[in-house]
Amino acid sequence: MPPRIAQIRLVSSHPQVYAPCDDSFALVDALLADRSKLLDHHPSICMEIGSGSGYVITSLAIILGSGSKNAHYFATDMNPHATKVTRETLEAHGVHAELLTTNIASGLEKRLSGMVDLMVINPPYVPTPEDEVGGSGLSAAWAGGENGRSVIDKILPVADNLLSEKGLLYMLFLAENDPLQICLQMRDKGYGAKIIVQRSTEEETLHVIKFWRDPDIQIEGNEAVVSGGKTAPQRGLDFLRSQISRLSFRETRQQR
Amino acid sequence: MRLLTHNMLSSNIKGVINGFPLRIEADNVVVKQVDFNPDFLKNMFSKIDWKALAEASKIMGYPELPDETPDHSILDSDDFLQKFHHALLELHLEEGALVCPETGRRFPVNKGIPNMLLHEDEV
Ligand SMILES: C[S@@+](CC[C@H](N)C(=O)[O-])C[C@H]1O[C@@H](n2cnc3c(N)ncnc32)[C@H](O)[C@@H]1O
């Protein structure tokens, strides 16, 4: 049976490129968990921002595989070593993505606007001093500034611009990033949100959250209102709380 | 870099208004076969800037596309779709540059990867 995701021994590396880690695995696990939904979704253009070693975009191309011949892949990273390593990882697995060394998706934002059906992002999310963000060394792979939100908050509007009507976004967050607040903020832009993976390691609690454009959310002024009384922030909170408790429950059960 | 990407890429320098299409300087072009998928092509046809594609394809050594945007009905022609497919997905710019049409700034392309990073005074 062909491997279902990228093989670690075939993932290329470089001293200045982020190697696959728990966060990368959590994101790929979320994509695996949603595999059949993603296949039914028939994404035509898929994209990763910040591809690092290429582990995630390669895994995505393998997961969608021959079931989604229509799919074409783009991956960006601001680190030129990373885009090169991503190319090597893709080639080692016999899959292809178009690569671009750029800040977030700069250069694509005009013409690719509204065309991306599936986006996957494992951003730099670690809370650090602001001046560590975006440097040229390896630290730019994780340095996220205050609450780890500096780069995340720049990526989200770009994602909103690039996503198509049916566009889906799978993005990884740390508990310290305040994912709940991010979901509410996205709700105000008309997105539904759902936690696909929640995982605690000794050091960190990771969430992979899926966003989609929800036609039931009408944007009135600055506040999203969902038909049925409550404002979106309230609804979003109730919804997320229920998701979080359900997920923790499920994980506890599995451990037994 | 495929011409699909070239067709989606504009100069991102601050203040540039007409950053599309980037002019291609082709030092090394390679051809890689890709599965033919008419549905994808039909879907992309309306999103492609045809003149930019035809011109880029010429520079990459494949002058087989019509210069002017063809009528939608041409999508019934298998011969046309094959050529469109070849130009859009199978021609790769491995080494060369993309040049901003307004400022002349060169964005290098190495190992098939365009580098669109800007200098501080361009952001
Ligand atoms: C946490 S790593 C994830 C790498 C890989 N996707 C993975 O999951 O293993 C974040 C990546 O984003 C890249 N990155 C950071 N800031 C960026 C920006 N402004 N634009 C593009 N890429 C960025 C880093 O170079 C790094 O490769």
Side-chain angles (χ1 to χ4, degrees):
Chain A
M1 203 179 97
R4 291 175 65 195
I5 55 174
Q7 296 174 279
I8 287 295
R9 66 181 176 86
L10 294 181
V11 172
S12 187
S13 66
H14 182 280
Q16 282 182 54
V17 174
Y18 190 84
C21 202
D22 288 334
D23 45 354
S24 328
F25 302 137
L27 182 52
V28 169
D29 285 349
L31 299 172
L32 269 176
D34 268 8
R35 178 171 188 266
S36 56
K37 278 185 201 136
L38 293 175
L39 286 173
D40 289 344
H41 189 68
H42 298 293
S44 175
I45 293 195
C46 308
M47 182 172 188
E48 177 175 19
I49 291 174
S51 63
S53 66
Y55 175 75
V56 176
I57 189 75
T58 303
S59 295
L60 177 65
I62 294 170
I63 290 168
L64 296 181
S66 49
S68 206
K69 264 200 202 144
N70 228 337
H72 289 269
Y73 302 87
F74 288 82
T76 73
D77 203 293
M78 67 184 293
N79 174 351
H81 301 298
T83 44
K84 211 185 288 169
V85 166
T86 294
R87 175 175 173 164
E88 290 162 7
T89 299
L90 288 158
E91 280 176 354
H93 292 85
V95 290
H96 180 84
E98 287 289 286
L99 300 170
L100 205 59
T101 304
T102 195
N103 180 24
I104 305 183
S106 181
L108 292 173
E109 287 174 66
K110 265 190 207 142
R111 299 260 315 140
L112 205 64
S113 173
M115 282 177 61
V116 179
D117 296 323
L118 175 59
M119 213 169 203
V120 295
I121 308 177
N122 176 8
Y125 56 73
V126 179
T128 62
E130 207 58 41
D131 56 12
E132 283 177 30
V133 175
S136 54
L138 183 55
S139 65
W142 65 76
E146 194 181 348
N147 303 322
R149 285 283 292 270
S150 278
V151 186
I152 291 172
D153 287 345
K154 291 200 179 94
I155 291 177
L156 289 172
V158 177
D160 179 35
N161 167 42
L162 291 177
L163 285 169
S164 68
E165 276 308 305
K166 65 167 193 178
L168 303 176
L169 165 64
Y170 289 77
M171 190 155 173
L172 184 127
F173 303 103
L174 191 65
E176 286 82 344
N177 302 148
D178 198 352
L180 227 85
Q181 194 272 336
I182 292 172
C183 291
L184 299 180
Q185 197 180 302
M186 289 296 278
R187 191 128 190 132
D188 284 343
K189 291 190 184 172
Y191 288 86
K194 184 182 176 185
I195 298 173
I196 306 296
V197 167
Q198 185 190 30
R199 185 172 295 169
S200 297
T201 66
E202 270 173 26
E203 295 127 38
E204 48 189 21
T205 300
L206 303 168
H207 305 256
V208 180
I209 301 186
K210 169 182 176 179
F211 299 95
W212 66 94
R213 290 187 201 277
D214 187 340
D216 290 339
I217 305 173
Q218 280 123 38
I219 302 173
E220 288 176 11
N222 280 331
E223 196 141 282
V225 178
V226 185
S227 20
K230 283 187 174 179
T231 61
Q234 282 169 319
R235 277 263 306 235
L237 263 170
D238 294 350
F239 172 72
L240 271 162
R241 290 219 175 92
S242 68
Q243 286 289 322
I244 289 171
S245 50
R246 243 187 51 206
L247 271 159
S248 345
F249 174 63
R250 209 188 293 155
E251 296 218 335
T252 341
R253 267 212 323 209
Q254 277 171 356
Q255 276 160 15
R256 267 198 263 147
Chain B
M1 183 200 71
R2 293 171 168 167
L3 292 188
L4 168 64
T5 305
H6 172 256
N7 213 275
M8 296 300 145
L9 210 51
S10 334
S11 170
N12 49 354
I13 300 169
K14 190 186 171 188
V16 165
I17 295 165
N18 282 317
F20 181 86
L22 296 158
R23 202 176 72 241
I24 295 178
E25 288 178 7
D27 295 335
N28 183 20
V29 174
V30 298
V31 174
K32 294 180 201 165
Q33 272 208 331
V34 178
D35 286 345
F36 179 63
N37 185 332
D39 288 340
F40 177 75
L41 296 167
K42 288 176 187 170
N43 183 19
M44 283 308 291
F45 180 72
S46 59
K47 294 167 178 153
I48 290 294
D49 182 299
W50 190 264
K51 283 187 177 170
L53 178 67
E55 178 63 26
S57 178
K58 231 181 260 174
I59 294 170
M60 300 271 279
Y62 187 70
E64 306 298 321
L65 300 184
D67 284 331
E68 294 303 318
T69 314
D71 184 79
H72 207 266
S73 59
I74 201 168
L75 293 176
D76 295 335
S77 154
D78 193 56
D79 177 59
F80 170 80
L81 287 177
Q82 295 282 357
K83 287 177 175 163
F84 181 25
H85 169 76
H86 184 69
L88 192 69
L89 300 174
E90 295 190 324
L91 300 175
H92 288 253
L93 181 64
E94 273 291 304
E95 299 292 329
L98 303 173
V99 183
C100 170
E102 201 169 296
T103 63
R105 153 78 140 92
R106 293 172 84 249
F107 297 97
V109 179
N110 298 121
K111 298 218 157 106
I113 308 172
N115 185 332
M116 302 298 293
L117 292 178
L118 298 174
H119 307 303
E120 254 169 48
D121 57 349
E122 296 172 323
V123 192

